[in-house]
Amino acid sequence: MSEMIRDGEQSHVWPLPDEGCASNDLVAFTQRLDALAARRGLLHTTLADTSGVQISLLQSGPMVQGPALLIAAGFHGEEPAGPWGLLRFLDTAPDDWFARARLSFLPLVNRTGFAAGRRFNAWGENPNRGFTANPRGETPSREGQLLLAHAARLQQLGRDGVLSCHEDVLQQHGYVYSFEHAAQPGPFSLTLRDSNARFFTLLADGEVDGCPVQDGLVFNHRDSSFEAWMLQNGAARTACTETPGLQPIAPRIAANAAMMAAFVEHALTPV
Ligand code: NI
């Protein structure tokens, strides 16, 4: 999530044996996304600006009730297991979840980065920074400006929870950034962390990108990211999951789908 030691321009592409294409195949990704959105009865709209930036938004139909949950992926183009994991989730999640929860998806925020296998977008901007006022003076990318322009809508869609799925190409181990209106990580944070840990050993206690990590969690670290902004924007809880980019791609995709499932199941489980 943090960028200080990361190369925004280096390309990372993996072959996807199960999907039969490369991890940066935007055409294959888009075709499958469209088919799954239709199968699930999701409304598909495109957020766009005048410079050609486009972000797909999928959401439940107006009759669906239940918790409002927003899942986002593909902020960073060298982290493809999030978007591909989202397709896996849409393909395999129980049908009744789509009737019991108001599910919305930003399946691929940084299209140009994804197609190039590069962290940053085509303009060299970091799409997960600058959402909030910050002491570093980080400003939003084109994608960030577009999402900020739809703040009220996103606030509604993610009112009961926001999950943003990332990867860390420098790591062998998994971890989670989580945000709650609480002093300690609650069941929401622990559920996502434990879901990640079913696939990967968790990062040891210490620091990651200058943030303190304990028990696989970086908790309430207020940076200028999308997930930090969405909490400030009224979401009940938000998280940014990190699968390890130094591990094989297949379990990374499986882990992302599993964490999305854990996120929805947690919101649907009575406390
Ligand atoms: Ni990232």
Side-chain angles (χ1 to χ4, degrees), residues 198-260:
R198 285 176 33 226
F199 295 85
F200 304 109
T201 309
L202 293 172
L203 200 60
D205 287 1
E207 277 205 350
V208 62
D209 290 335
C211 307
V213 56
Q214 185 177 7
D215 300 324
L217 287 171
V218 179
F219 186 63
N220 280 351
H221 176 73
R222 305 299 170 98
D223 52 20
S224 69
S225 66
F226 175 74
E227 48 276 9
W229 170 57
M230 286 299 292
L231 190 87
Q232 189 178 305
N233 193 24
R237 51 196 70 83
T238 71
C240 161
T241 54
E242 299 276 358
T243 46
L246 294 176
Q247 296 287 348
I249 186 79
R252 287 156 44 200
I253 292 173
N256 275 280
M259 288 188 281
M260 292 175 207

Side-chain angles (χ1 to χ4, degrees), residues 1 3 75-76 78-79 119 128 166-168 240 242:
M1 190 163 107
E3 276 64 48
F75 274 86
H76 291 136
E78 93 287 30
E79 304 173 5
R119 182 173 189 77
N128 202 31
H166 283 246
E167 299 203 272
D168 188 333
C240 161
E242 299 276 358

Side-chain angles (χ1 to χ4, degrees), residues 125-211:
E125 300 166 333
N126 182 343
N128 202 31
R129 280 293 176 273
F131 284 91
T132 59
N134 64 88
R136 289 171 154 190
E138 294 162 332
T139 55
S141 66
R142 284 160 177 76
E143 293 84 1
Q145 291 175 44
L146 187 52
L147 295 173
L148 285 161
H150 292 271
R153 185 174 186 181
L154 294 174
Q155 181 192 11
Q156 281 192 331
L157 298 180
R159 198 185 64 200
D160 298 302
V162 176
L163 175 65
S164 187
C165 296
H166 283 246
E167 299 203 272
D168 188 333
V169 294
L170 303 178
Q171 296 295 341
Q172 301 271 4
H173 306 293
Y175 59 102
V176 175
Y177 294 85
S178 70
F179 300 81
E180 301 187 45
H181 299 287
Q184 299 291 330
F188 167 78
S189 300
L190 303 179
T191 295
L192 290 171
R193 191 264 325 263
D194 292 350
S195 181
N196 203 345
R198 285 176 33 226
F199 295 85
F200 304 109
T201 309
L202 293 172
L203 200 60
D205 287 1
E207 277 205 350
V208 62
D209 290 335
C211 307

Side-chain angles (χ1 to χ4, degrees), residues 61-76:
M63 304 306 288
V64 177
Q65 300 293 312
L69 304 172
L70 174 63
I71 299 177
F75 274 86
H76 291 136

